[in-house]
Coordinates of all heavy atoms in Angstrom, one line a residue:
M1 N -21.8 -29.2 7.9 CA -20.5 -29.0 8.5 C -19.6 -28.5 7.4 O -18.8 -27.6 7.7 CB -20.0 -30.4 9.0 CG -18.8 -30.2 9.8 SD -19.1 -29.4 11.3 CE -17.6 -29.7 12.1
L2 N -19.6 -29.1 6.2 CA -18.8 -28.6 5.1 C -19.1 -27.2 4.7 O -18.2 -26.4 4.4 CB -18.9 -29.6 3.9 CG -18.0 -29.2 2.7 CD1 -16.6 -29.3 3.1 CD2 -18.4 -30.1 1.5
G3 N -20.4 -26.8 4.7 CA -20.8 -25.5 4.4 C -20.2 -24.4 5.4 O -19.8 -23.4 4.9
I4 N -20.3 -24.8 6.6 CA -19.8 -23.8 7.6 C -18.3 -23.6 7.4 O -17.7 -22.5 7.5 CB -20.1 -24.4 9.1 CG1 -21.6 -24.3 9.3 CG2 -19.3 -23.5 10.1 CD1 -22.0 -25.0 10.6
F5 N -17.5 -24.7 7.2 CA -16.1 -24.6 6.9 C -15.8 -23.8 5.7 O -14.9 -22.9 5.7 CB -15.5 -26.0 6.7 CG -14.1 -26.0 6.4 CD1 -13.1 -25.8 7.3 CD2 -13.7 -26.3 5.1 CE1 -11.8 -25.8 7.0 CE2 -12.3 -26.3 4.7 CZ -11.4 -26.0 5.7
L6 N -16.5 -24.0 4.6 CA -16.3 -23.2 3.4 C -16.6 -21.8 3.6 O -15.9 -20.9 3.1 CB -17.1 -23.8 2.2 CG -16.7 -25.2 1.8 CD1 -17.6 -25.7 0.7 CD2 -15.3 -25.2 1.2
V7 N -17.7 -21.4 4.3 CA -18.0 -20.0 4.5 C -17.0 -19.4 5.4 O -16.5 -18.3 5.1 CB -19.4 -19.9 5.2 CG1 -19.7 -18.5 5.7 CG2 -20.5 -20.3 4.2
G8 N -16.5 -20.1 6.4 CA -15.4 -19.6 7.3 C -14.2 -19.4 6.5 O -13.5 -18.3 6.7
Q9 N -13.8 -20.3 5.7 CA -12.6 -20.1 4.9 C -12.7 -18.9 3.9 O -11.8 -18.2 3.7 CB -12.3 -21.4 4.1 CG -11.7 -22.5 4.9 CD -10.3 -22.2 5.4 OE1 -9.6 -21.5 4.8 NE2 -10.1 -22.7 6.6
F10 N -13.9 -18.8 3.3 CA -14.1 -17.7 2.4 C -14.0 -16.3 3.1 O -13.3 -15.4 2.6 CB -15.5 -17.8 1.7 CG -15.8 -16.7 0.8 CD1 -15.3 -16.6 -0.5 CD2 -16.6 -15.6 1.3 CE1 -15.6 -15.5 -1.3 CE2 -16.9 -14.6 0.4 CZ -16.4 -14.5 -0.8
L11 N -14.6 -16.2 4.2 CA -14.6 -15.0 5.0 C -13.2 -14.7 5.5 O -12.7 -13.5 5.4 CB -15.6 -15.0 6.2 CG -17.1 -15.0 5.8 CD1 -17.9 -15.2 7.0 CD2 -17.4 -13.7 5.1
E12 N -12.5 -15.7 6.0 CA -11.1 -15.5 6.5 C -10.2 -15.0 5.4 O -9.4 -14.1 5.5 CB -10.6 -16.7 7.1 CG -9.3 -16.6 7.9 CD -8.1 -16.9 7.0 OE1 -8.3 -17.6 6.0 OE2 -7.1 -16.3 7.2
G13 N -10.3 -15.7 4.2 CA -9.4 -15.4 3.1 C -9.7 -14.1 2.4 O -8.8 -13.5 1.9
N14 N -10.9 -13.8 2.2 CA -11.3 -12.6 1.4 C -11.7 -11.4 2.2 O -11.8 -10.3 1.6 CB -12.5 -13.0 0.5 CG -12.0 -14.0 -0.5 OD1 -11.0 -13.9 -1.1 ND2 -12.8 -15.1 -0.7
V15 N -12.0 -11.5 3.5 CA -12.4 -10.3 4.2 C -11.4 -10.1 5.4 O -10.9 -9.0 5.5 CB -13.8 -10.5 4.7 CG1 -14.3 -9.3 5.6 CG2 -14.8 -10.7 3.6
L16 N -11.3 -11.0 6.2 CA -10.5 -10.8 7.5 C -9.0 -10.7 7.2 O -8.4 -9.7 7.8 CB -10.8 -12.0 8.4 CG -10.3 -11.9 9.8 CD1 -10.9 -10.7 10.5 CD2 -10.6 -13.1 10.6
A17 N -8.4 -11.5 6.5 CA -7.0 -11.4 6.3 C -6.6 -10.1 5.6 O -5.6 -9.5 6.0 CB -6.5 -12.6 5.5
P18 N -7.2 -9.7 4.5 CA -6.8 -8.4 3.9 C -7.0 -7.3 4.8 O -6.2 -6.3 4.8 CB -7.7 -8.3 2.6 CG -8.1 -9.7 2.3 CD -8.2 -10.4 3.6
K19 N -8.1 -7.3 5.6 CA -8.3 -6.2 6.5 C -7.2 -6.1 7.6 O -6.6 -5.0 7.9 CB -9.7 -6.3 7.2 CG -10.0 -5.2 8.2 CD -11.4 -5.2 8.6 CE -11.8 -4.2 9.6 NZ -11.2 -2.9 9.4
L20 N -6.8 -7.2 8.2 CA -5.8 -7.3 9.2 C -4.4 -6.9 8.6 O -3.7 -6.1 9.2 CB -5.7 -8.6 9.9 CG -7.0 -9.0 10.7 CD1 -6.9 -10.4 11.2 CD2 -7.2 -8.0 11.8
V21 N -4.1 -7.5 7.5 CA -2.8 -7.2 6.8 C -2.8 -5.7 6.4 O -1.8 -5.0 6.5 CB -2.5 -8.1 5.6 CG1 -1.3 -7.7 4.9 CG2 -2.4 -9.5 6.1
G22 N -3.9 -5.2 5.8 CA -3.9 -3.8 5.4 C -3.7 -2.8 6.5 O -3.1 -1.8 6.4
E23 N -4.3 -3.1 7.7 CA -4.1 -2.3 8.8 C -2.7 -2.3 9.4 O -2.2 -1.3 9.8 CB -5.1 -2.6 10.0 CG -6.5 -2.3 9.6 CD -7.5 -2.8 10.7 OE1 -7.1 -3.4 11.7 OE2 -8.7 -2.5 10.6
S24 N -2.1 -3.5 9.3 CA -0.7 -3.6 9.8 C 0.3 -2.9 8.9 O 1.3 -2.4 9.4 CB -0.3 -5.0 10.1 OG -0.2 -5.7 8.9
V25 N 0.1 -2.8 7.6 CA 1.0 -2.2 6.7 C 0.6 -0.8 6.2 O 1.3 -0.1 5.5 CB 1.3 -3.1 5.5 CG1 2.0 -4.4 5.9 CG2 0.1 -3.4 4.7
G26 N -0.6 -0.4 6.6 CA -1.1 0.9 6.3 C -1.7 1.1 4.9 O -1.7 2.2 4.4
L27 N -2.2 0.0 4.4 CA -2.9 0.1 3.1 C -4.3 -0.4 3.2 O -4.7 -1.2 4.0 CB -2.2 -0.8 2.1 CG -0.8 -0.4 1.7 CD1 -0.1 -1.4 0.8 CD2 -0.8 0.9 0.9
H28 N -5.2 0.1 2.3 CA -6.6 -0.3 2.3 C -6.6 -1.7 1.7 O -5.9 -2.1 0.8 CB -7.3 0.6 1.3 CG -8.8 0.5 1.5 ND1 -9.6 -0.4 0.8 CD2 -9.7 1.3 2.2 CE1 -10.8 -0.3 1.2 NE2 -10.9 0.7 2.0
P29 N -7.5 -2.6 2.3 CA -7.6 -4.0 1.9 C -7.9 -4.1 0.4 O -7.4 -5.1 -0.2 CB -8.8 -4.5 2.7 CG -8.9 -3.6 3.9 CD -8.4 -2.3 3.4
V30 N -8.6 -3.2 -0.2 CA -8.9 -3.3 -1.7 C -7.6 -3.2 -2.5 O -7.4 -3.9 -3.5 CB -9.9 -2.2 -2.1 CG1 -10.1 -2.2 -3.6 CG2 -11.2 -2.4 -1.4
W31 N -6.7 -2.3 -2.1 CA -5.4 -2.2 -2.7 C -4.6 -3.5 -2.6 O -3.9 -3.9 -3.5 CB -4.6 -1.1 -2.2 CG -5.1 0.3 -2.7 CD1 -5.7 1.2 -2.0 CD2 -5.1 0.7 -4.0 NE1 -6.0 2.3 -2.8 CE2 -5.7 2.0 -4.1 CE3 -4.6 0.2 -5.3 CZ2 -5.8 2.8 -5.2 CZ3 -4.7 1.0 -6.4 CH2 -5.3 2.2 -6.4
L32 N -4.7 -4.1 -1.4 CA -3.9 -5.4 -1.2 C -4.5 -6.5 -2.1 O -3.7 -7.3 -2.7 CB -4.0 -5.8 0.2 CG -3.2 -5.0 1.2 CD1 -3.4 -5.4 2.6 CD2 -1.7 -5.1 0.8
I33 N -5.8 -6.6 -2.2 CA -6.4 -7.6 -3.0 C -6.1 -7.4 -4.5 O -5.7 -8.3 -5.2 CB -8.0 -7.6 -2.8 CG1 -8.3 -8.2 -1.4 CG2 -8.7 -8.5 -3.9 CD1 -9.7 -8.0 -1.0
F34 N -6.1 -6.1 -4.9 CA -5.8 -5.8 -6.3 C -4.3 -6.1 -6.6 O -4.0 -6.7 -7.6 CB -6.0 -4.3 -6.6 CG -5.6 -3.9 -7.9 CD1 -6.3 -4.2 -9.0 CD2 -4.4 -3.1 -8.1 CE1 -5.8 -3.9 -10.3 CE2 -4.0 -2.7 -9.3 CZ -4.7 -3.1 -10.5
A35 N -3.4 -5.8 -5.6 CA -2.0 -6.1 -5.8 C -1.8 -7.6 -5.9 O -1.0 -8.1 -6.7 CB -1.2 -5.6 -4.6
L36 N -2.5 -8.4 -5.0 CA -2.3 -9.9 -5.1 C -2.8 -10.4 -6.4 O -2.2 -11.3 -7.0 CB -3.1 -10.5 -3.9 CG -2.4 -10.3 -2.6 CD1 -3.4 -10.8 -1.5 CD2 -1.1 -11.1 -2.5
L37 N -4.0 -9.9 -6.9 CA -4.5 -10.3 -8.2 C -3.6 -10.0 -9.3 O -3.2 -10.8 -10.2 CB -5.9 -9.7 -8.5 CG -7.0 -10.3 -7.6 CD1 -8.3 -9.4 -7.8 CD2 -7.3 -11.7 -8.0
A38 N -3.1 -8.8 -9.4 CA -2.3 -8.3 -10.5 C -0.9 -9.0 -10.5 O -0.5 -9.5 -11.5 CB -2.1 -6.8 -10.4
F39 N -0.2 -9.0 -9.3 CA 1.1 -9.7 -9.3 C 1.0 -11.2 -9.5 O 1.8 -11.8 -10.1 CB 1.8 -9.3 -7.9 CG 2.4 -8.0 -7.9 CD1 1.7 -6.8 -7.8 CD2 3.8 -7.9 -8.0 CE1 2.3 -5.6 -7.8 CE2 4.5 -6.7 -7.9 CZ 3.7 -5.5 -7.9
G40 N -0.1 -11.8 -8.9 CA -0.3 -13.2 -9.1 C -0.5 -13.5 -10.6 O 0.0 -14.6 -11.1
Y41 N -1.3 -12.7 -11.3 CA -1.5 -12.9 -12.7 C -0.3 -12.7 -13.5 O 0.0 -13.5 -14.4 CB -2.6 -12.0 -13.2 CG -2.9 -12.1 -14.7 CD1 -3.7 -13.2 -15.1 CD2 -2.5 -11.2 -15.6 CE1 -4.0 -13.3 -16.5 CE2 -2.7 -11.3 -16.9 CZ -3.5 -12.4 -17.4 OH -3.7 -12.5 -18.7
L42 N 0.5 -11.7 -13.2 CA 1.7 -11.4 -14.0 C 2.9 -12.3 -13.7 O 3.6 -12.7 -14.6 CB 2.1 -9.9 -13.8 CG 1.1 -8.9 -14.3 CD1 1.6 -7.5 -13.9 CD2 1.0 -8.9 -15.8
F43 N 3.1 -12.6 -12.4 CA 4.3 -13.3 -12.1 C 4.1 -14.7 -11.4 O 5.0 -15.3 -10.9 CB 5.2 -12.4 -11.2 CG 5.4 -11.1 -11.7 CD1 4.9 -9.9 -11.2 CD2 6.3 -11.0 -12.9 CE1 5.2 -8.7 -11.7 CE2 6.5 -9.7 -13.4 CZ 6.0 -8.6 -12.8
G44 N 2.8 -15.1 -11.3 CA 2.6 -16.4 -10.7 C 2.8 -16.4 -9.2 O 2.5 -15.5 -8.5
F45 N 3.3 -17.6 -8.7 CA 3.4 -17.7 -7.3 C 4.4 -16.8 -6.7 O 4.2 -16.2 -5.6 CB 3.9 -19.2 -7.0 CG 4.0 -19.4 -5.5 CD1 2.9 -19.5 -4.7 CD2 5.3 -19.6 -4.9 CE1 3.1 -19.8 -3.3 CE2 5.5 -19.8 -3.6 CZ 4.3 -19.9 -2.8
V46 N 5.5 -16.5 -7.4 CA 6.5 -15.5 -6.9 C 5.8 -14.1 -6.8 O 6.1 -13.4 -5.9 CB 7.7 -15.5 -7.9 CG1 8.7 -14.4 -7.4 CG2 8.4 -16.9 -7.9
G47 N 5.0 -13.8 -7.7 CA 4.3 -12.5 -7.7 C 3.4 -12.4 -6.4 O 3.3 -11.3 -5.8
L48 N 2.8 -13.5 -6.0 CA 2.0 -13.5 -4.8 C 2.9 -13.2 -3.6 O 2.5 -12.5 -2.6 CB 1.3 -14.8 -4.6 CG 0.2 -15.1 -5.6 CD1 -0.4 -16.5 -5.4 CD2 -0.9 -14.1 -5.5
L49 N 4.1 -13.7 -3.6 CA 5.0 -13.5 -2.5 C 5.5 -12.1 -2.4 O 5.8 -11.5 -1.4 CB 6.2 -14.5 -2.5 CG 5.9 -15.9 -2.4 CD1 7.1 -16.8 -2.6 CD2 5.2 -16.2 -1.1
V50 N 5.6 -11.4 -3.6 CA 6.2 -10.1 -3.7 C 5.2 -9.0 -3.7 O 5.5 -7.9 -3.4 CB 7.0 -10.0 -5.0 CG1 7.6 -8.6 -5.3 CG2 8.2 -11.0 -5.0
A51 N 3.9 -9.4 -3.8 CA 2.8 -8.4 -4.0 C 2.7 -7.4 -2.8 O 2.7 -6.2 -3.0 CB 1.5 -9.1 -4.3
V52 N 2.6 -7.9 -1.6 CA 2.4 -7.0 -0.5 C 3.6 -6.1 -0.2 O 3.4 -4.9 -0.1 CB 2.0 -7.9 0.8 CG1 1.9 -7.0 2.0 CG2 0.7 -8.6 0.5
P53 N 4.8 -6.6 -0.2 CA 5.9 -5.7 0.0 C 6.1 -4.7 -1.1 O 6.3 -3.5 -0.8 CB 7.2 -6.6 0.0 CG 6.7 -7.9 0.4 CD 5.3 -8.0 -0.1
A54 N 5.8 -5.1 -2.3 CA 5.9 -4.1 -3.5 C 4.8 -3.1 -3.4 O 5.1 -1.9 -3.6 CB 5.8 -4.9 -4.8
C55 N 3.6 -3.5 -3.0 CA 2.5 -2.6 -2.8 C 2.8 -1.6 -1.7 O 2.5 -0.4 -1.8 CB 1.2 -3.3 -2.6 SG -0.3 -2.3 -2.7
C56 N 3.4 -2.0 -0.6 CA 3.8 -1.2 0.5 C 4.8 -0.1 0.0 O 4.7 1.0 0.4 CB 4.3 -2.0 1.6 SG 3.1 -3.0 2.5
H57 N 5.8 -0.6 -0.7 CA 6.8 0.4 -1.2 C 6.2 1.4 -2.1 O 6.5 2.6 -2.0 CB 7.9 -0.4 -2.0 CG 8.9 -1.1 -1.1 ND1 8.7 -2.3 -0.7 CD2 10.0 -0.6 -0.6 CE1 9.7 -2.7 0.1 NE2 10.6 -1.7 0.1
I58 N 5.3 1.0 -3.0 CA 4.6 2.0 -3.9 C 3.8 2.9 -3.1 O 3.7 4.1 -3.3 CB 3.8 1.2 -4.9 CG1 4.7 0.4 -5.9 CG2 2.9 2.1 -5.7 CD1 4.0 -0.5 -6.8
G59 N 3.1 2.4 -2.0 CA 2.3 3.3 -1.2 C 3.1 4.3 -0.4 O 2.7 5.5 -0.3
V60 N 4.3 3.9 0.1 CA 5.2 4.9 0.8 C 5.7 5.9 -0.2 O 5.7 7.1 0.1 CB 6.3 4.1 1.4 CG1 7.4 5.1 1.9 CG2 5.8 3.3 2.6
L61 N 6.1 5.5 -1.4 CA 6.6 6.5 -2.4 C 5.5 7.4 -2.8 O 5.7 8.6 -3.0 CB 7.2 5.8 -3.6 CG 8.5 5.0 -3.3 CD1 8.9 4.2 -4.5 CD2 9.6 5.9 -2.9
A62 N 4.2 6.9 -3.0 CA 3.1 7.8 -3.4 C 2.8 8.8 -2.3 O 2.6 10.0 -2.6 CB 1.9 6.9 -3.7
R63 N 2.8 8.4 -1.0 CA 2.5 9.3 0.1 C 3.6 10.3 0.2 O 3.4 11.5 0.5 CB 2.4 8.5 1.4 CG 1.1 7.8 1.6 CD 0.9 7.3 2.9 NE 0.2 6.0 2.8 CZ 0.7 4.8 3.0 NH1 1.9 4.7 3.5 NH2 0.0 3.7 2.8
F64 N 4.9 9.9 0.0 CA 6.0 10.9 0.1 C 5.9 11.9 -1.0 O 6.0 13.1 -0.8 CB 7.3 10.1 0.0 CG 8.5 11.0 0.1 CD1 9.0 11.4 1.3 CD2 9.2 11.4 -1.1 CE1 10.1 12.2 1.4 CE2 10.3 12.2 -1.0 CZ 10.8 12.6 0.3
R65 N 5.5 11.4 -2.2 CA 5.4 12.4 -3.3 C 4.2 13.3 -3.1 O 4.3 14.5 -3.4 CB 5.2 11.6 -4.6 CG 5.2 12.4 -5.9 CD 6.5 13.1 -6.1 NE 6.4 13.8 -7.4 CZ 7.1 14.8 -7.6 NH1 8.1 15.2 -6.8 NH2 7.0 15.5 -8.8
A66 N 3.1 12.8 -2.6 CA 2.0 13.7 -2.4 C 2.3 14.7 -1.3 O 1.9 15.9 -1.4 CB 0.8 12.8 -1.9
A67 N 3.0 14.3 -0.3 CA 3.4 15.3 0.8 C 4.3 16.3 0.2 O 4.3 17.5 0.6 CB 4.0 14.5 2.0
A68 N 5.2 15.9 -0.6 CA 6.2 16.8 -1.2 C 5.5 17.8 -2.1 O 5.8 19.0 -2.1 CB 7.3 16.1 -2.0
L69 N 4.5 17.4 -2.9 CA 3.8 18.3 -3.8 C 2.9 19.2 -3.1 O 2.6 20.3 -3.5 CB 3.0 17.5 -4.8 CG 3.8 16.7 -5.9 CD1 3.0 15.9 -6.8 CD2 4.6 17.7 -6.7
S70 N 2.3 18.8 -1.9 CA 1.4 19.7 -1.2 C 2.1 20.6 -0.2 O 1.5 21.5 0.4 CB 0.4 18.8 -0.4 OG 1.1 18.1 0.6
G71 N 3.4 20.5 -0.1 CA 4.2 21.4 0.7 C 4.2 21.0 2.2 O 4.6 21.8 3.1
K72 N 3.7 19.8 2.5 CA 3.7 19.4 3.9 C 4.9 18.6 4.3 O 5.0 18.2 5.5 CB 2.5 18.4 4.1 CG 1.1 19.1 4.0 CD 0.0 18.2 4.2 CE -1.3 18.9 4.0 NZ -2.5 18.0 4.2
L73 N 5.9 18.5 3.5 CA 7.1 17.8 3.8 C 8.1 18.8 4.2 O 8.5 19.7 3.4 CB 7.6 17.0 2.5 CG 8.6 16.0 2.8 CD1 8.2 14.9 3.7 CD2 9.0 15.3 1.5
A74 N 8.6 18.7 5.4 CA 9.5 19.7 6.0 C 10.8 19.8 5.2 O 11.4 20.9 5.1 CB 9.9 19.4 7.4
L75 N 11.3 18.8 4.6 CA 12.5 18.8 3.8 C 12.4 19.9 2.7 O 13.3 20.6 2.5 CB 12.8 17.4 3.2 CG 13.9 17.3 2.2 CD1 15.2 17.4 3.0 CD2 13.9 16.0 1.5
Y76 N 11.3 19.9 2.0 CA 11.1 20.9 0.9 C 10.8 22.3 1.4 O 11.1 23.2 0.8 CB 10.1 20.4 -0.1 CG 10.5 19.1 -0.8 CD1 10.0 17.9 -0.6 CD2 11.5 19.2 -1.8 CE1 10.4 16.8 -1.2 CE2 12.0 18.1 -2.4 CZ 11.4 16.9 -2.2 OH 11.8 15.8 -2.8
R77 N 10.1 22.4 2.5 CA 9.8 23.7 3.1 C 11.1 24.5 3.4 O 11.2 25.6 3.2 CB 9.0 23.6 4.3 CG 7.5 23.7 4.0 CD 6.7 23.9 5.2 NE 6.3 22.5 5.5 CZ 6.0 22.1 6.7 NH1 6.1 22.9 7.8 NH2 5.6 20.9 6.9
R78 N 12.1 23.8 3.9 CA 13.4 24.4 4.3 C 14.1 24.9 3.0 O 14.6 26.0 3.1 CB 14.3 23.4 5.0 CG 15.6 23.9 5.4 CD 15.5 24.9 6.5 NE 16.9 25.3 6.9 CZ 17.2 26.5 7.3 NH1 16.2 27.3 7.5 NH2 18.4 26.8 7.6
E79 N 14.0 24.2 2.0 CA 14.6 24.6 0.7 C 13.9 25.9 0.2 O 14.5 26.8 -0.3 CB 14.7 23.5 -0.3 CG 15.6 22.4 0.1 CD 15.5 21.2 -0.9 OE1 14.7 21.3 -1.9 OE2 16.2 20.2 -0.6
I80 N 12.6 25.9 0.3 CA 11.8 27.0 -0.2 C 12.1 28.2 0.7 O 12.3 29.3 0.1 CB 10.3 26.7 -0.2 CG1 10.0 25.6 -1.2 CG2 9.5 27.9 -0.4 CD1 8.6 25.0 -1.1
E81 N 12.2 28.1 2.0 CA 12.5 29.2 2.9 C 13.9 29.8 2.5 O 14.1 31.0 2.5 CB 12.5 28.8 4.3 CG 11.1 28.5 4.8 CD 11.1 27.8 6.2 OE1 12.2 27.7 6.8 OE2 10.1 27.5 6.7
L82 N 14.9 29.0 2.3 CA 16.2 29.4 1.9 C 16.2 30.2 0.6 O 16.9 31.2 0.5 CB 17.2 28.2 1.9 CG 17.5 27.6 3.2 CD1 18.4 26.4 3.0 CD2 18.2 28.6 4.1
S83 N 15.5 29.6 -0.4 CA 15.5 30.3 -1.7 C 14.7 31.7 -1.6 O 15.1 32.6 -2.3 CB 14.8 29.4 -2.7 OG 13.5 29.2 -2.4
D84 N 13.7 31.8 -0.7 CA 13.1 33.1 -0.6 C 14.0 34.1 0.0 O 13.9 35.3 -0.3 CB 11.8 32.9 0.3 CG 10.7 32.1 -0.4 OD1 10.8 32.0 -1.6 OD2 9.8 31.7 0.3
K85 N 14.9 33.7 0.9 CA 15.8 34.7 1.5 C 16.8 35.1 0.6 O 17.4 36.2 0.7 CB 16.4 34.0 2.8 CG 15.4 33.8 3.9 CD 16.1 33.2 5.1 CE 15.1 32.9 6.2 NZ 15.7 32.3 7.3
L86 N 17.2 34.3 -0.4 CA 18.2 34.7 -1.3 C 17.7 35.7 -2.4 O 18.5 36.4 -2.9 CB 18.7 33.4 -2.1 CG 19.5 32.4 -1.2 CD1 19.8 31.2 -2.0 CD2 20.7 33.0 -0.6
V87 N 16.5 35.7 -2.6 CA 15.9 36.6 -3.6 C 15.8 38.0 -3.2 O 15.7 38.5 -2.2 CB 14.6 36.1 -4.1 CG1 13.9 37.0 -5.1 CG2 14.7 34.7 -4.8

């Protein structure tokens, strides 16, 4: 009975929860686990509370920057079109 409980807790904590949280915030579960480990190590319990929101912010900024650099962000395309007309 104890073994079933421990296996269930392990699977829920290390597999199921990161997958569900990762899908809801748009991050891969490995990034979430890494963020929890790093923030928990650096900042303790408060780091564990801040890890997922901070990782989400970093992910959004990284995606925004990648879109801007690849030219898929409409905000920058408009500026490029205007500068082409001025030349």
Side-chain angles (χ1 to χ4, degrees):
M1 187 70 167
L2 181 63
I4 293 172
F5 175 75
L6 292 175
V7 168
Q9 285 293 329
F10 177 79
L11 290 175
E12 188 270 334
N14 293 316
V15 177
L16 190 58
K19 181 168 176 44
L20 293 175
V21 172
E23 288 176 358
S24 67
V25 296
L27 291 172
H28 196 275
V30 173
W31 285 111
L32 288 176
I33 292 171
F34 175 73
L36 288 169
L37 286 172
F39 278 75
Y41 178 76
L42 293 173
F43 305 112
F45 181 72
V46 175
L48 292 174
L49 296 175
V50 175
V52 174
C55 192
C56 291
H57 282 89
I58 292 169
V60 167
L61 292 174
R63 282 188 218 113
F64 182 80
R65 183 67 176 155
L69 290 175
S70 67
K72 293 181 181 177
L73 194 60
L75 175 70
Y76 291 109
R77 266 191 266 152
R78 178 74 177 145
E79 291 174 3
I80 291 171
E81 291 171 3
L82 290 175
S83 66
D84 289 342
K85 291 179 182 178
L86 294 175
V87 175

